[in-house]
Amino acid sequence: MTGAKTAVEWLASVAPDPEACRWEWERNPLGVALLPAGKAWDVLILPGYLGCPTLDVLTRILDQLGPVLADFGDNRVGFLVPPGTAARWLGTGVRTAGAGTWIVVPYPGRVTRGVRWLVPPDGSGTLTDPALLELAMHEAAAGPARRRDGDG
């Protein structure tokens, strides 16, 4: 549970009132809190049909992944990336959450309804490298095309 406790501290550190954030997580029946993006991380939000295969690609090439969120039904997948990434990201169909935006964040290590961690934070501050994320997105998007062409 030490990893989850460290992850909670890392996530709550971006809240305007970290103690109130931890209190909200403990008492909110949904097990979620609103946290500001753009401080310790931004979020790149991919549609599920691209986000899930992208996560599969990243899992194959990286030993340690940054945190990854999914909404109910995996319709959207959010990769936590370094702050400032959202302002520079140019990509069709990818939503961004950076400075001035807030996201719903579940308590690490706890099952919630709705948004959930596909890759929970470990508290170390590891984030997904945006360049690797982009390459993985291209690989994931090309996968179905290769299958249709008989190459994979």
Side-chain angles (χ1 to χ4, degrees):
M1 203 56 178
T2 324
K5 190 172 262 193
T6 305
V8 167
E9 295 303 316
W10 178 69
L11 288 167
S13 72
V14 303
D17 182 346
E19 187 59 38
C21 176
R22 288 188 292 276
W23 187 91
E24 177 72 14
W25 263 326
E26 291 299 323
R27 284 151 187 84
N28 182 324
L30 298 177
V32 298
L34 277 177
L35 292 178
K39 292 185 177 193
W41 32 260
D42 284 357
V43 185
L44 297 181
I45 305 162
L46 284 59
Y49 66 84
L50 179 59
C52 291
T54 298
L55 178 57
D56 289 342
V57 171
L58 287 172
T59 301
R60 289 195 311 267
I61 63 173
L62 295 175
D63 292 331
Q64 186 176 14
L65 298 171
V68 182
L69 290 164
D71 68 355
F72 184 74
D74 296 347
N75 292 319
R76 287 178 291 279
V77 177
F79 294 84
L80 274 64
V81 294
T85 302
R88 297 185 307 272
W89 189 264
L90 301 172
T92 304
V94 176
R95 292 180 176 177
T96 61
T101 61
W102 294 71
I103 64 165
V104 174
V105 179
Y107 188 95
R110 191 175 294 158
V111 176
T112 62
R113 294 175 298 229
V115 67
R116 64 189 175 92
W117 292 107
L118 294 177
V119 178
D122 61 8
S124 70
T126 299
L127 299 168
T128 299
D129 180 308
L132 287 176
L133 177 60
E134 184 176 11
L135 291 172
M137 288 170 57
H138 287 287
E139 178 69 21
R146 280 197 307 272
R147 284 191 290 280
R148 281 193 308 271
D149 294 340
D151 293 338

